Amino acid sequence: MKGMMTMKGNYKGIWKGIVPALVLSVLVSACSGGTGSPSTSSPNASVKPSESATATKIDTSKPVKLKLVLVGTKPADTDEVYVEVNKLLKQKINAELEVRYLDFNEYNQKYPLLFAANEDFDMIFTGDWAFYNATARKDGFLQLTENMLKTYAPNTWAKQDKVGWDQAKINGKIYMVPNDTFESSFAIGVIRGDLREKYKLPEVKTQADLANYLTTVAKNEKGMLGFSGPPAKLSSTGIPVFFSDMEMRLVHGSVTLVYDLKNPNPKLTNYLENPKTIEKYNMFYDMAQQGVWTKDAIVSKTDWRKAFKEGKTAADFGNISTMANSIDAILKTNPEWKPELIDVNSTAKQYQTPLISNGMGIHATSKNAERALMALDLLRYDKEIYELTFYGIKGKHWEPVGDNKFKTLAATAGYPPEGASPWGWRTQLSRQMEGVVGDMVTATYNRWKATNIVHSPLETFVLDDSKIKNELAALDNVQQTYLLPIVHGLIKADVGIPQVLEKQKQAGIEKVQAEFQAQLDAYIASKK
């Protein structure tokens, strides 16, 4: 989850913890959870907006309740905030939002099922990591035409970066409204500076420094883990993001094929065949044996981000905005922990995150598609509505500071900035948090733009997996069954990887690699 959420703080030592960056590759195709999911209803069955309508003739006399589905964890004060949002929407377009959340630990399974069962909803969060490609190809989203967007979402059509529309096209058609701000998928972390100092450890600047910190804390701090452990499901993150080679980019979450993003004519390789991967996985085995994460992390339902803020783990990892949120919260409750932002690969290059990383799709069978687009236009560009959904109730959760900054208040925990999953309609209206943490976020983004971001036609490349769905489903099963235990340190890599490679061969990885390589080559040729 992603974004330019900005935070407040006044701990002067925080800059000591800022050391340059790491992350696994950004998903280039739709999340693997969509592979092989059942077909959805055709958009031809939906009630489509009339393309002959004009803004002056739009009839909003009939009140509608729009069902909105978001991906993420629902903050405690969400319902209270959306009461205020609905007052404004009711006034402006005679509509209200009914919001449903798919939590991160369930969306991989439940998201495709919403479309397979043709459930009743109007719009839903989507992105290149959240089933956009797979759902659009199964006719789950309504096609958005130029006339439709001009009529029902005129601000969006006029202001959206054209690159976003190009990125959203599948077979020349648009099925989502992308977000419209700069983002990077660089993953960073936050550690406890007080514990680092307690054990006289150096500043965490490398992956080795990080492993040393985590194992030291796990060994010496009773009742505390190093951190939550690797992901409970392998998809976009084939290995824990903070120990990955961020310049080797995954092409699909179901298979361990990567390419070097710096190579203008890249060739796919299997990262499990790289000796460095074996070495790194064996390090995970050693860390697991030393108790850096729990032995049941592979099935744990614990909210590990919350556990970090409660002092039960010594580190947390995510994007810059999420980590800034963690720092801001800690500085309010436990400033003596001296939170430090860590970033352990200062020279690594990365693509700018595509604008389709976060966006909104209209359900193909929505009975209120016109009103849904009108509501989305307001979510994106009506300043009062935008700030409600991003920051909460003014005077309770936040206060403005000038025209483009804000500060959090005592009730912020009930509705953290950007914490209610509004990423699908993020635009240039976002504010920066005042103070050192907000300045930290801005400085980090500026550094990435200046020294780490590279541009290539491949940053917008999207795979067509229609010819190899069965093979990808089988390969995903291999990952979850045979690779996941290795990643969690339950099996030594040099023992388990040969079995994974054999299972991948049986599942059809050679056919998948040939198909993906052909698409890569064709895409590169088309851009010359």
Side-chain angles (χ1 to χ4, degrees), residues 183-415:
E183 292 183 84
S184 174
S185 66
F186 283 80
I188 55 177
V190 178
I191 65 168
R192 291 271 301 270
D194 62 328
L195 296 177
R196 182 183 65 78
E197 293 174 356
K198 177 179 178 179
Y199 296 108
K200 296 180 172 57
L201 299 174
E203 290 185 357
V204 176
K205 296 181 179 180
T206 67
Q207 293 181 5
D209 291 340
L210 179 54
N212 183 36
Y213 166 80
L214 294 173
T215 52
T216 299
V217 171
K219 178 181 177 181
N220 293 286
E221 290 293 314
K222 186 177 180 180
M224 177 179 284
L225 297 169
F227 89 117
S228 59
K233 176 177 170 57
L234 295 177
S235 55
S236 61
T237 50
I239 54 177
V241 293
F242 57 96
F243 284 121
S244 65
D245 181 350
M246 62 189 296
E247 293 182 350
M248 299 306 294
R249 186 177 180 90
L250 278 169
V251 290
H252 197 285
S254 294
V255 62
T256 54
L257 296 174
V258 295
Y259 67 87
D260 185 346
L261 64 81
K262 294 184 296 184
N263 188 335
N265 296 287
K267 299 301 178 184
L268 292 173
T269 60
N270 190 335
Y271 72 69
L272 296 181
E273 295 176 337
N274 188 329
K276 290 184 178 179
T277 300
I278 305 297
E279 180 181 334
K280 195 162 291 187
Y281 279 4
N282 280 332
M283 179 179 68
F284 296 162
Y285 179 83
D286 293 338
M287 293 170 71
Q289 305 316 302
Q290 296 181 67
V292 172
W293 54 79
T294 62
K295 292 182 180 180
D296 68 345
I298 199 169
V299 294
S300 176
K301 301 297 183 183
T302 302
D303 183 341
W304 290 110
R305 185 141 292 136
K306 180 180 178 183
F308 173 64
K309 294 175 183 177
E310 292 174 346
K312 297 175 182 177
T313 67
D316 191 18
F317 300 89
N319 58 50
I320 179 65
S321 61
T322 303
M323 294 303 96
N325 188 20
S326 291
I327 290 173
D328 183 58
I330 290 170
L331 291 174
K332 284 181 169 63
T333 58
N334 299 94
E336 70 280 4
W337 289 0
K338 300 180 180 179
E340 296 178 352
L341 189 71
I342 62 166
D343 197 356
V344 297
N345 200 339
S346 61
T347 61
K349 304 299 181 183
Q350 182 59 287
Y351 293 150
Q352 177 176 329
T353 302
L355 295 176
I356 59 171
S357 62
N358 299 304
M360 298 299 298
I362 305 298
H363 194 193
T365 57
S366 169
K367 297 178 178 64
N368 301 297
E370 301 100 329
R371 209 78 64 90
L373 279 171
M374 294 171 73
L376 181 57
D377 207 39
L378 291 170
L379 287 168
R380 287 167 61 96
Y381 295 111
D382 184 286
K383 188 177 179 64
E384 189 174 4
I385 292 175
Y386 185 93
E387 291 182 341
L388 270 168
T389 62
F390 270 74
Y391 311 114
I393 297 171
K394 193 183 301 184
K396 177 176 181 177
H397 301 110
W398 71 288
E399 283 184 359
V401 178
D403 293 331
N404 56 14
K405 292 186 178 183
F406 74 99
K407 66 178 181 179
T408 57
L409 301 175
T412 291
Y415 199 87

